[in-house]
């Protein structure tokens, strides 16, 4: 199965994890937008697609410690979850999200939270619209992070402090992740 086929299959099966009443309609609309994008653009997963492209991200979470690992993104200069562009070697969106989370966190042994993507989020970046498929990755016990060249900083935040440092999209991802736990 190609990455494009995997993305279509994942999006067809996607159901939001959030319990908020307003989450489901917004997430369903994004799901349709993503599927329409892929139907119209065979290159819709790749950075070269200037009309926008799917990306994969993962919020690294330590449920036993009640905390999440965020990166201060070098280019965007905001505290975000780990994530980025799909690469030709990625066999699935889940694999792309896990690769990105591992590369950017420096933590070996991350595992994706079962159940597929946690949320969808569309945002404009300097390169194009990102149609982000967001997962959650569980950190193993005793995980030690290591900053990558894509980050200015890397830090664990208690759940209660995320809203103080990150934008609403990260807060919604945390809420949806916690609802799935």
């Amino acid at each position: 199965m190609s990455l494009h086929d995997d993305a279509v299959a994942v999006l067809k099966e996607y159901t939001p994890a959030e319990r908020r009443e307003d989450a489901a309609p917004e997430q369903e609309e994004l799901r349709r937008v993503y599927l329409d994008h892929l139907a119209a653009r065979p290159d819709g997963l790749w950075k070269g697609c200037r009309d926008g492209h799917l990306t994969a991200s993962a919020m690294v979470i330590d449920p036993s410690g009640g905390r999440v690992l965020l990166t201060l993104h070098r280019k965007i200069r905001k505290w975000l979850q780990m994530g980025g562009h799909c690469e030709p070697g990625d066999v699935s969106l889940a694999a792309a999200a896990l690769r990105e989370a591992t590369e950017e966190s420096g933590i070996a042994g991350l595992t994706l939270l079962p159940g597929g993507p946690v949320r969808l989020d569309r945002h404009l970046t300097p390169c194009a619209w990102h149609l982000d498929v967001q997962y959650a990755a569980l950190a193993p016990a005793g995980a030690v992070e290591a900053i990558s060249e894509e980050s200015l900083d890397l830090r664990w935040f208690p759940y209660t402090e995320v809203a103080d440092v990150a934008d609403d999209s990260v807060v919604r991802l945390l809420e949806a992740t916690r609802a799935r736990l």
Side-chain angles (χ1 to χ4, degrees), residues 59-79:
M59 174 167 277
V60 175
I61 188 163
D62 171 14
S64 65
R67 61 190 188 151
V68 297
L69 184 64
L70 299 178
T71 179
L72 183 57
H73 195 278
R74 183 172 296 281
K75 291 181 184 175
I76 299 175
R77 300 197 182 273
K78 290 183 179 182
W79 287 103

Side-chain angles (χ1 to χ4, degrees), residues 31-41:
R31 186 178 79 86
R32 282 194 301 271
V33 166
Y34 287 27
L35 285 168
D36 290 348
H37 176 79
L38 290 173
R41 294 168 187 87

Side-chain angles (χ1 to χ4, degrees), residues 9-38:
V10 165
L11 291 165
K12 284 183 176 179
E13 295 293 320
Y14 169 72
T15 55
E18 292 168 284
R19 294 185 183 135
R20 293 184 0 242
E21 289 182 23
D22 63 333
E26 176 243 343
Q27 289 292 287
E28 178 57 28
E29 174 60 24
L30 282 177
R31 186 178 79 86
R32 282 194 301 271
V33 166
Y34 287 27
L35 285 168
D36 290 348
H37 176 79
L38 290 173

Side-chain angles (χ1 to χ4, degrees), residues 86-155:
C86 296
E87 295 181 1
D90 294 328
V91 297
S92 66
L93 284 177
L98 188 58
R99 175 187 50 75
E100 286 285 341
T102 301
E103 287 174 0
E104 292 183 14
S105 71
I107 299 173
L110 294 173
T111 57
L112 292 182
L113 191 62
V118 176
R119 286 196 93 249
L120 305 176
D121 185 74
R122 178 175 57 178
H123 49 271
L124 187 60
T125 70
C127 74
W129 280 99
H130 279 185
L131 309 177
D132 197 28
V133 181
Q134 301 176 324
Y135 292 81
L138 300 171
V144 177
E145 70 279 4
I147 196 164
S148 76
E149 63 185 39
E150 295 185 35
S151 301
L152 292 171
D153 197 1
L154 195 61
R155 191 176 313 159

